[in-house]
């Protein structure tokens, strides 16, 4: 498999690939909070389902009392009680 130029640069400089390549990073804290970096926007938002677009696919969160606590161009935080977190490619 060929490496992208940005991936080669990240390896050479010792920089995390998600920084150079705009790869999404997701941090899940139990079943109460999800932090997503490098998102491309919200596709669907209800109190039971949130779908977030990323460069690599869609993050699909299901649960109860879901809210977007913070949204900025580079990251967002989803809170609530999660029953399922899926990554759709």
């Amino acid at each position: 498999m060929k490496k992208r130029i940005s991936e080669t640069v990240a390896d050479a400089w010792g920089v995390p690939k998600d920084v150079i390549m705009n790869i999404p990073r997701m941090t899940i804290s139990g079943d109460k909070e999800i932090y997503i970096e490098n998102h491309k926007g919200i596709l669907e938002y209800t109190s039971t389902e949130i779908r977030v677009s990323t460069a690599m696919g869609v993050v699909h969160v299901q649960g109860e009392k879901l809210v977007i606590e913070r949204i900025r161009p580079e990251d967002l935080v989803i809170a609530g009680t999660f029953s399922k977190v899926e990554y759709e490619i």
Side-chain angles (χ1 to χ4, degrees):
M1 184 171 142
K2 282 181 121 178
K3 277 189 171 183
R4 294 181 185 170
I5 293 173
S6 55
E7 189 172 1
T8 302
V9 169
D11 288 341
W13 289 354
V15 176
K17 290 178 186 174
D18 61 309
V19 172
I20 297 284
M21 298 175 65
N22 202 29
I23 294 173
R25 178 183 291 197
M26 189 167 54
T27 305
I28 302 174
S29 300
D31 67 344
K32 302 293 183 204
E33 185 176 89
I34 298 176
Y35 174 71
I36 302 173
E37 293 177 83
N38 299 325
H39 70 90
K40 300 289 183 192
I42 305 298
L43 300 174
E44 183 176 355
Y45 179 27
T46 69
S47 64
T48 59
E49 193 167 11
I50 298 176
R51 294 177 66 235
V52 179
S53 178
T54 73
M56 305 292 289
V58 175
V59 176
H60 184 192
V61 179
Q62 293 177 318
E64 296 178 11
K65 299 179 184 173
L66 300 179
V67 294
I68 297 174
E69 283 195 335
R70 181 183 75 220
I71 185 166
R72 300 186 299 194
E74 66 277 358
D75 62 13
L76 62 85
V77 176
I78 300 171
T81 303
F82 311 128
S83 59
K84 185 187 279 188
V85 179
E86 293 180 311
Y87 197 71
E88 305 168 0
I89 298 175

